[in-house]
Amino acid sequence: MIDAKEYLKKMSAELDGPIKSYIGDEEPSNLMEASRQYPYAGGKRMRPAMAVATCGAVGGDKSKAVPLAVAVEYIHNFTLIHDDLMDGDSKRRGMDTIHVGYGMPTAVLAGDALFAKAYQIICDLDVPAERMRAAMKYVSDAVWDLARGQQMDVNNEGQIVSEEVYIETIKLKTSVLFAAAAAGGAIIGGADDATVKAINEYALELGLGFQMFDDYLGIAGDESKTGKSVGNDIRKGKCTCMVTHAIRSIKDPKVLEEFKGILGNMDATDEQCARAKQIMQEAGSIDYALGLARQKVDNAIAKISFLPESEDKEFMIALANFAINRDV
């Protein structure tokens, strides 16, 4: 069996050169430096790895999917720059965030520049025009949906929303870019429409599981590994499936009132945040969320069961499992 973490490291190293090859030494130099910082810093690079793997899994020439992989990684990093700015975060990957290091105007422009460069790259894909247009459509739709999902996430903060609204939000915020990478890679590999649709659905389900597990790490993760305060999501009142499950499952009105009093309280102490986590544990909400994430990943794997056996298919399965079995 493929070790997804090790395989991702290998693919990340292979993609490192292409990722660093598209932003030249133009003026103004501070904009170029700001645009390079996040994509050049590494990371898991799950989305670009997925684009290359799905191309190979359908029998395509994986080298032709590398530019799309770079484009998707640039788009992902464009969203990170703007996320950090919106959230007021000061650190990412151990570095000052772009708006801290370069200022807010340059951070906005760096995100815009990565977004534009991604589309330049897609327009130059070495595939028939109809495949380029099809891949472009998936990516464009994903960016539109991603913006909608990000705004829904902002709107939801501090609100108690239904599990259905939560799932729709994370699908738009997280899953769609995974899906654009996966479907785009399959398109470049020459897959037929039914195969592209199945691979797109695989990645949507994987993305849901990934985000649900990410939300779990925000509550119960190891701060030294995640780099996030486990109390922040509680203080912000982030409405995850753990929260929605707890709200509908807590039987004692006093406990429910206590939980709601901590949730969304920016002044909540570490002890209060730990108490909120305890309440969710006792309500079975954390186990419920992990089970739901597992279900999404199982759905993802089932979607690609028809693909012929290959190392790339094996990696796609391993990547789905890795999405809900990681410490960061």
Side-chain angles (χ1 to χ4, degrees), residues 31-325:
L31 178 62
M32 298 305 109
E33 290 167 6
S35 301
R36 289 172 178 144
Q37 181 172 310
Y38 285 2
Y40 285 27
K44 291 184 286 292
R45 290 180 172 158
M46 289 175 68
R47 295 159 189 83
M50 189 180 289
V52 175
T54 58
C55 181
V58 300
D61 177 352
K62 292 196 286 188
S63 67
K64 291 186 181 296
V66 169
L68 177 71
V70 174
V72 169
E73 183 70 352
Y74 281 6
I75 289 170
H76 172 56
N77 282 277
F78 135 73
T79 68
L80 296 182
I81 293 172
H82 287 188
D83 278 356
D84 289 342
L85 184 57
M86 287 186 287
D87 294 343
D89 291 337
S90 60
K91 294 288 182 183
R92 180 176 289 278
R93 296 171 185 163
M95 303 175 289
D96 285 345
T97 49
I98 306 295
H99 66 274
V100 170
Y102 294 90
M104 184 271 287
T106 300
V108 172
L109 292 170
D112 294 346
L114 285 173
F115 184 65
K117 182 60 72 174
Y119 278 91
Q120 287 180 359
I121 295 167
I122 294 171
C123 287
D124 288 335
L125 286 171
D126 182 22
V127 295
E130 64 272 13
R131 288 192 205 168
M132 184 272 285
R133 285 195 296 270
M136 178 84 80
K137 181 73 165 60
Y138 267 100
V139 172
S140 299
D141 287 351
V143 175
W144 177 259
D145 284 343
L146 200 154
R148 292 171 55 224
Q150 187 64 36
Q151 185 62 57
M152 287 172 68
D153 194 48
V154 171
N155 293 350
N156 294 348
E157 207 163 272
Q159 306 293 319
I160 303 298
V161 300
S162 68
E163 186 173 291
E164 291 73 22
V165 170
Y166 163 75
I167 290 174
E168 180 66 9
T169 300
I170 65 171
K171 183 182 87 170
L172 297 175
K173 180 186 172 187
T174 301
S175 289
V176 293
L177 196 56
F178 278 110
I187 289 165
I188 290 167
D192 59 36
D193 290 347
T195 299
V196 171
K197 182 175 183 290
I199 287 174
N200 178 68
E201 291 171 350
Y202 148 83
L204 285 173
E205 293 288 316
L206 182 155
L208 290 174
F210 176 91
Q211 187 59 54
M212 287 172 180
F213 193 77
D214 214 50
D215 291 339
Y216 158 77
L217 290 175
I219 296 292
D222 182 340
E223 287 187 30
S224 67
K225 293 179 179 178
T226 65
K228 302 174 184 177
S229 168
V230 296
N232 279 353
D233 285 353
I234 292 169
R235 292 186 182 97
K236 289 179 179 178
K238 189 171 181 181
C239 194
T240 65
C241 57
M242 290 175 285
V243 170
T244 60
H245 181 273
I247 294 293
R248 67 176 184 265
S249 302
I250 296 168
K251 304 302 182 187
D252 187 330
K254 288 184 179 178
V255 174
L256 182 58
E257 184 179 354
E258 180 188 7
F259 181 66
K260 286 181 175 179
I262 300 170
L263 192 68
N265 176 7
M266 290 302 294
D267 296 322
T269 64
D270 289 345
E271 290 74 19
Q272 286 175 309
C273 291
R275 172 59 179 152
K277 176 186 170 185
Q278 180 189 11
I279 291 169
M280 285 190 282
Q281 283 178 321
E282 291 172 353
S285 303
I286 292 177
D287 286 342
Y288 173 80
L290 291 174
L292 194 57
R294 176 77 257 174
Q295 183 185 99
K296 297 302 180 187
V297 162
D298 288 344
N299 291 345
I301 293 169
K303 294 286 184 184
I304 57 170
S305 61
F306 71 96
L307 289 174
E309 297 306 314
S310 67
E311 184 176 85
D312 292 303
K313 177 185 175 180
E314 192 176 334
F315 170 64
M316 290 169 69
I317 293 169
L319 192 62
N321 285 313
F322 173 72
I324 59 166
N325 289 287

Side-chain angles (χ1 to χ4, degrees), residues 23-27 32 36:
I23 302 175
D25 293 325
E26 300 178 56
E27 293 297 332
M32 298 305 109
R36 289 172 178 144

